[in-house]
Amino acid sequence: MQYLIMLHFPPGKGPQEGTPEYDAEMERWGRLNDEMRKAGVMVAASGLDPDAVTTVRNHAGEVAVTDGPYAETKEILFSFYVIDVPDLDAAIEWAAKMPSAEYGSNEVRPTVGYEQA
Amino acid sequence: VTTAALERAYRDERALVLSTITRRLGGDIALAEDVVQDAFVAAAVEWDRRGVPDRPGAWLTTTAWRKALDRIRRDRVAAAHAPDLVQDVSYDLEDDFERSSVEDDQLRMQFMCCHPALPAEARMALTLRSVAGLTVPEIARAFLASERAMEQRLVRARRKITGAAIPFRVPPDELLTERLGGVLRVVYLAYTEGHVATRGEQPVRGDLCDEAIRLARLLARLMPDEAETLGLLALLLLTDARRAARLRPDGSFVGLDEQDRTLWDAARIAEGTRVLERAFALRRPGPYVIQAAIAALHAQAPAWEATDWPQIAALYAELERHDPSPVVTINRAVAVGFADGADAGLAILDALESDARLDRYQPLHAARAELRRRAGDEPGAEAAYAEALALTSNPAERAALERRRRG
């Protein structure tokens, strides 16, 4: 079973870049990523640039391109993981280990799996 | 004959068959629900033609399983996900439908239905449907929802279970305490929903109380080493023992102080006390064990005046440490009011004054009214009664408050 975990955080929360807390958190992410790779659950993961988002629509044959995310929210989507684990409890366990869960929100979504690459 | 047998099987065995099939399908409760329904439709035809089978539950399980395999073979998407199931055609389910394993499956079902990823109201509805075996119309009545709305809520919850792969299992040790807490809470809330109906004109709904006790018994039988599981059963039994004394013929509530104690169910009290003793022996008293101990002290008191108030006040203090909430503090204040005098009780309530969220909390005003009256502050009591009444919508509770106000 594959799950997409979307990591959001409210601007201003969590450690700020350039502080020792930030470096400490980065080390935790690194260790977690190693742990996930070792456990064989990591399918894909990446950080996302929240300031360079583009939304594309092709309704009625007309491509419309707009700046920014499709829905305005205060929280910033800054990273994602795709993991392969047996069930939701396992997905929750990994999501809870991610440092940003301590100040942000990790949304866990099962993939439906019609088109597995 | 067939109709009676079908109805009996629907009431007594449906939840058991559903649990077994759900396990066999790796937790796919949405599919399990569909094929169990199909099996009952088949039974209506087959039992009429060939007679009622010796073991209706086993027959229904086998039939539901065949229906499931048919569907999986037809549904290529599902088949791609579950190739191991399709190979398993020769599996004999009748052997699987033994009482012990069926009960284990019910426990797994209970944990799955109470998973924290499900919406709270759906957890209770699913539990009543899939573990207690209530029908959708019965559950809809319990929630005062339409049958259609209830069916939709159940369908959505099952889709979430299947779609998100909520596991069909008793959680491993590191999750057990937290998840068991969620399960016990659903059973407790089902009981209180029946006991103090927040919705509708009917003040007590005994059917919900009975189902909750049945679920608590099942949990206590299957998890006999969990103190809180026994504590919940003891609490429900000891509370329920007072059911006949709680209502007047006009539907108004009778407070514990005014109840006719000869109406209390002695057998329930005895059973609840025995269960509580087993819980104490496990030496890990949590909130349910403590609340059961309080209920037991009330049950043992020959009269309201003869209640062991210092002990009850101490237990509420213990409960406050485990599970702090305004309700517990108010109850402690009342107990302290009897143990050490009304002023001591009022002092505890005053500490809650700073919490603005409690301005509109009826039990706080009701407790303050009673304590002020006993402290001799008649105008203060009158004002607090008026505030409490303004915040009460249940007619039976209103009637009880009015009576107390008149004294």
Side-chain angles (χ1 to χ4, degrees):
Chain A
M1 189 83 190
Q2 294 197 350
Y3 296 85
L4 169 67
I5 304 178
M6 294 195 287
L7 292 77
H8 307 261
F9 81 105
K13 288 279 174 69
Q16 303 300 304
E17 216 167 333
T19 62
E21 291 79 18
Y22 185 88
D23 295 341
E25 184 179 303
M26 285 325 246
E27 264 176 52
R28 283 177 65 199
W29 284 109
R31 279 198 302 275
L32 179 67
N33 290 342
D34 286 345
E35 195 187 337
M36 291 173 86
R37 271 186 220 102
K38 238 179 257 163
V41 301
M42 181 90 90
V43 177
S46 183
L48 300 167
D49 183 343
D51 298 322
V53 183
T54 305
T55 299
V56 179
R57 292 179 183 82
N58 187 1
H59 299 179
E62 197 176 326
V63 175
V65 177
T66 49
D67 172 55
Y70 89 95
E72 283 300 332
T73 53
K74 275 188 222 109
E75 299 228 319
I76 294 168
L77 175 62
F78 74 97
S79 181
F80 76 92
Y81 283 79
V82 176
I83 61 171
D84 195 339
V85 292
D87 57 39
L88 183 62
D89 279 350
I92 289 172
E93 196 181 334
W94 287 112
K97 279 185 186 173
M98 296 174 182
S100 63
E102 289 153 29
Y103 50 88
S105 312
N106 295 348
E107 192 175 323
V108 178
R109 291 180 178 247
T111 63
V112 183
Y114 292 124
E115 301 163 55
Q116 289 188 1
Chain B
V1 181
T2 307
T3 313
L6 259 178
E7 277 173 9
R8 202 175 318 118
Y10 199 81
R11 194 185 59 230
D12 297 342
E13 312 230 42
R14 192 183 187 285
L16 308 180
V17 174
L18 181 71
S19 297
T20 306
I21 296 296
T22 305
R23 171 168 52 78
R24 293 295 308 158
L25 289 171
D28 188 342
I29 190 181
L31 177 57
E33 183 70 34
D34 286 347
V35 298
V36 169
Q37 201 58 38
D38 290 351
F40 273 92
V41 172
V45 178
E46 291 285 310
W47 295 6
D48 220 23
R49 200 183 297 158
R50 297 185 198 171
V52 178
D54 292 339
R55 296 160 69 213
W59 188 96
L60 287 161
T61 307
T62 306
T63 306
W65 180 241
R66 289 202 188 108
K67 302 269 180 201
L69 293 178
D70 287 347
R71 284 201 190 210
I72 290 167
R73 281 193 215 97
R74 277 203 310 265
D75 186 343
R76 291 177 56 206
V77 176
H81 280 281
D84 48 327
L85 291 175
V86 182
Q87 292 161 9
D88 206 4
V89 191
S90 61
Y91 183 80
D92 180 10
L93 263 144
E94 300 204 16
D95 290 340
D96 203 18
F97 196 75
E98 295 299 329
R99 188 130 299 259
S100 61
S101 76
V102 165
E103 287 205 330
D104 289 344
D105 284 343
Q106 280 205 288
L107 190 60
R108 296 183 181 109
M109 179 66 90
Q110 174 86 73
F111 276 101
M112 186 169 82
C113 291
C114 295
H115 196 279
L118 294 167
E121 286 220 317
R123 286 179 224 162
M124 197 191 296
L126 270 178
T127 299
L128 292 173
R129 180 80 186 107
S130 310
V131 188
L134 264 60
T135 63
V136 174
E138 282 169 338
I139 300 167
R141 268 203 303 282
F143 283 94
L144 299 181
S146 73
E147 285 177 31
R148 217 182 118 76
M150 183 51 66
E151 184 62 51
Q152 281 172 347
R153 187 184 297 170
L154 287 165
V155 166
R156 266 200 305 274
R158 288 188 201 108
R159 274 200 205 123
K160 165 102 191 234
I161 288 174
T162 300
I166 290 176
F168 184 75
R169 63 167 185 191
V170 174
D173 285 349
E174 69 271 17
L175 282 178
L176 189 63
T177 309
E178 172 212 330
R179 294 288 168 83
L180 180 61
V183 166
L184 297 178
R185 182 152 184 79
V186 162
V187 176
Y188 176 76
L189 288 177
Y191 183 85
T192 45
E193 186 54 43
H195 192 64
V196 186
T198 53
R199 288 166 273 208
E201 289 286 306
Q202 204 183 335
V204 173
R205 292 200 305 266
D207 49 347
L208 261 186
C209 296
D210 291 339
E211 283 309 328
I213 289 175
R214 227 166 58 124
L215 289 169
R217 275 190 210 284
L218 177 73
L219 289 171
R221 194 161 65 239
L222 294 174
M223 308 189 89
D225 299 328
E226 293 289 336
E228 281 292 88
T229 305
L230 299 176
L232 176 64
L233 176 59
L235 172 63
L236 298 192
L237 288 168
L238 290 163
T239 307
D240 203 60
R242 306 197 289 254
R243 197 199 288 184
R246 285 181 69 238
L247 283 184
R248 293 191 184 77
D250 68 0
S252 61
F253 277 108
V254 187
L256 200 49
D257 53 335
E258 295 177 307
Q259 287 180 14
D260 175 357
R261 297 183 178 220
T262 62
L263 293 177
W264 289 0
D265 184 336
R268 285 236 141 142
I269 292 174
E271 189 193 354
T273 308
R274 276 198 308 276
V275 175
L276 178 61
E277 278 162 9
R278 278 170 51 212
F280 270 136
L282 293 169
R283 293 173 194 288
R284 288 188 302 271
Y288 291 116
V289 175
I290 298 167
Q291 290 177 80
I294 293 168
L297 285 172
H298 283 301
Q300 285 154 18
W304 176 252
E305 298 73 34
T307 305
D308 186 349
W309 290 114
Q311 182 76 357
I312 287 182
L315 285 166
Y316 272 121
E318 178 76 12
L319 189 56
E320 222 174 0
R321 285 201 305 112
H322 275 274
D323 200 4
S325 80
V327 189
V328 176
T329 306
I330 290 167
N331 282 318
R332 181 164 72 85
V334 172
V336 167
F338 283 109
D340 303 329
D343 287 331
L346 282 168
I348 293 170
L349 291 186
D350 288 343
L352 288 177
E353 198 100 303
S354 56
D355 192 338
R357 287 169 307 172
L358 296 177
D359 280 350
R360 300 188 47 75
Y361 191 60
Q362 185 265 359
L364 174 60
H365 298 290
R368 179 174 288 134
E370 308 246 327
L371 283 166
R372 280 183 182 162
R373 172 163 290 169
R374 295 216 341 271
D377 174 10
E378 211 33 63
E382 200 40 45
Y385 274 121
E387 283 195 73
L389 273 165
L391 295 169
T392 308
S393 55
N394 180 311
E397 272 187 71
R398 280 191 70 86
L401 265 175
E402 287 283 7
R403 279 176 47 84
R404 285 174 184 279
R405 180 190 200 174
R406 289 193 299 270

